[in-house]
């Protein structure tokens, strides 16, 4: 029996299937490589990236509630320079598309972040 074609195109990016990781919960991809085949998902969506590294909120950052769990990690991230030098080399070893989540404090920061990502 033939496998169904689950490929989709989102914003001009062809994905093998519509399964994408949730930003903020999947790190930068390499953290989950020992546990799953990253070549089987449609895309990796990175943690949010800012211009400079950010430590995030102090602990406790997660609290259990009667309805589940709340978290306020505080956008902890390695910053764009460390992402490019430390995370991108691994991401280049896989064929799964990577969608980089960017955030800034000004329009200029968003522009600079986007420009830096566009270059790679």
């Amino acid at each position: 029996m033939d496998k169904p074609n689950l490929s989709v195109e989102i914003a001009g990016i062809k994905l093998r299937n519509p399964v994408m990781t949730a930003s903020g919960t999947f790190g930068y991809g390499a953290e989950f490589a020992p546990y799953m085949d990253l070549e089987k998902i449609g895309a990796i969506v990175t943690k949010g990236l800012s211009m400079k590294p950010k430590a995030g909120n102090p602990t406790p950052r997660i609290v259990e509630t009667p309805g589940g769990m709340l978290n306020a990690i505080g956008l902890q991230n390695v910053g764009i320079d460390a992402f490019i030098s430390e995370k991108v080399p691994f991401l280049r070893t896989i064929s799964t598309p990577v969608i980089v989540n960017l955030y800034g404090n000004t329009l200029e920061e968003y522009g600079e972040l986007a420009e830096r990502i566009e270059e790679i």
Side-chain angles (χ1 to χ4, degrees):
M1 178 189 268
D2 291 335
K3 290 183 181 180
N5 179 0
L6 299 177
S7 66
V8 296
E9 187 173 313
I10 299 173
I13 302 169
K14 180 131 178 163
L15 309 179
R16 62 179 61 92
N17 59 60
V19 177
M20 295 184 270
T21 63
S23 176
T25 66
F26 204 74
Y28 304 98
E31 298 87 340
F32 282 85
Y35 307 107
M36 64 176 290
D37 183 355
L38 298 175
E39 300 283 346
K40 298 217 179 210
I41 58 178
I44 294 171
V45 182
T46 69
K47 289 178 67 70
L49 283 171
S50 57
M51 289 297 296
K52 302 286 182 201
K54 186 171 178 184
N57 292 329
T59 58
R61 306 192 284 189
I62 300 174
V63 63
E64 188 174 350
T65 70
M69 175 186 91
L70 293 175
N71 78 50
I73 303 304
L75 298 172
Q76 175 184 349
N77 76 98
V78 299
I80 190 69
D81 292 329
F83 176 75
I84 291 170
S85 65
E86 299 169 14
K87 308 301 182 183
V88 168
F90 169 79
L91 294 170
R92 285 187 168 148
T93 69
I94 59 175
S95 65
T96 301
V98 176
I99 299 170
V100 179
N101 175 0
L102 306 174
Y103 74 92
N105 295 310
T106 65
L107 289 174
E108 291 76 21
E109 282 185 15
Y110 277 100
E112 186 174 341
L113 286 162
E115 188 175 300
R116 299 276 308 274
I117 291 300
E118 181 86 21
E119 291 172 1
I120 58 169

